[in-house]
Amino acid sequence: MESQTTTAYNRRNFIRSTAALATGFGFLGLLGKSEAAHAIDDKITKKDGLLVIGPKEGYTPLIGTLVSMLNYNRNTVVKLVQSMSMAELDHLHDGHANSIGALIMHLGATDKFYQINTFEGRQEFNEAEQKEWGAAMELDDKGRKEIKGHDVQYYLDKIKAVRERTLALLREKDDNWLLAIDPEWSKKEPINTFWKWFHVCEHESNHRGQIAFLKSRLPGAKPGKE
């Protein structure tokens, strides 16, 4: 069993290491895009893939890490729904449920909202965006009435187009932008741009779970493993 002295020593070392890491990332955020990418490349493996969370080529370090999480979440959603039929996408589990098709569109609507909010500073959709994404953002009765009759590729193309725009715009930003506090959203407590896009990640994970549940309850569905 470790002595109290050893435990305290290890704890102090952990705190010092964590502080050093945080300082390092803070320093990287102050660098320009090319300098930051170069600085971190010297310390990490250059391997890339869906199961590698971390900086990505073409983005500043923190934005690249965010992008790696966005990419992983989106891939799991696509894999879950890509073989579904129109009837399955339109199916309503009960009178209060949203269809799987509507939930996929909701992911695109959320991505679109945070896109216009963080890159353009807007707090709501314009008229054209509301027409395209309003039902998907609201869901419930409006979504049940309006979002149906499309095959899976329709939904995947819609959310892919929005995400590609988001990723392109993120390439133009740096870590200082990502960490900046939004005064409009921070009336009660500080909220920064990083939290907004982290929320997009957790939001997509949450609805992926809903989609998985609804898929497992489709008529004729086989018992799930999860």
Side-chain angles (χ1 to χ4, degrees):
M1 181 179 296
E2 292 184 322
S3 68
Q4 290 183 340
T5 300
T6 301
T7 301
Y9 173 78
N10 289 338
R11 184 178 297 114
R12 286 196 299 273
N13 276 350
F14 173 77
I15 292 171
R16 281 198 294 269
S17 298
T18 304
L21 180 62
T23 301
F25 271 108
F27 166 73
L28 288 170
L30 296 175
L31 293 174
K33 189 168 183 178
S34 61
E35 291 111 326
H38 177 73
I40 204 162
D41 277 349
D42 293 336
K43 298 179 181 180
I44 65 169
T45 174
K46 294 184 179 180
K47 292 183 179 179
D48 193 13
L50 284 172
L51 303 185
V52 177
I53 299 299
K56 294 181 69 65
E57 184 177 353
Y59 301 94
T60 52
L62 290 180
I63 291 181
T65 300
L66 167 68
V67 167
S68 68
M69 293 187 285
L70 288 169
N71 288 348
Y72 174 77
N73 268 356
R74 178 54 57 84
N75 180 260
T76 62
V77 172
V78 172
K79 288 171 64 177
L80 183 61
V81 304
Q82 62 188 356
S83 63
M84 296 184 68
S85 68
M86 186 185 300
E88 291 172 330
L89 294 166
D90 288 350
H91 179 76
L92 292 172
H93 180 63
D94 56 44
H96 299 285
N98 296 296
S99 70
I100 291 175
L103 289 173
I104 299 171
M105 282 289 284
H106 182 63
L107 300 181
T110 302
D111 200 335
K112 184 64 178 180
F113 172 76
Y114 281 95
Q115 185 187 106
I116 66 166
N117 177 259
T118 59
F119 298 114
E120 301 179 32
R122 290 195 279 130
Q123 305 301 321
E124 57 186 26
F125 289 145
N126 60 32
E127 185 177 350
E129 292 160 348
Q130 182 64 28
K131 183 177 180 180
E132 182 176 10
W133 297 106
M137 182 60 83
E138 295 175 32
L139 293 177
D140 298 329
D141 286 341
K142 191 172 181 64
R144 283 187 283 271
K145 291 176 182 177
E146 297 185 20
I147 305 174
K148 55 187 174 182
H150 303 291
D151 62 20
V152 70
Q153 199 58 50
Y154 169 86
Y155 296 112
L156 295 182
D157 287 346
K158 293 282 285 187
I159 65 173
K160 180 181 178 181
V162 177
R163 178 55 56 83
E164 286 180 345
R165 175 66 175 159
T166 292
L167 296 179
L169 291 169
L170 285 171
R171 287 182 181 274
E172 301 173 2
K173 299 298 184 180
D174 61 22
D175 290 347
N176 289 328
W177 171 85
L178 190 67
L179 296 172
I181 301 296
D182 180 356
E184 182 69 24
W185 283 38
S186 300
K187 304 295 174 60
K188 293 184 178 180
E189 61 180 314
I191 296 176
N192 67 0
T193 308
F194 204 162
W195 178 86
K196 292 182 182 183
W197 284 103
F198 165 76
H199 176 61
V200 174
C201 281
E202 66 170 350
H203 175 267
E204 194 143 326
S205 293
N206 174 58
H207 286 299
R208 183 184 66 220
Q210 285 185 292
I211 291 169
F213 170 81
L214 292 172
K215 185 178 179 181
S216 72
R217 297 302 186 273
L218 289 169
K222 296 180 181 179
K225 297 180 180 179
E226 298 181 357

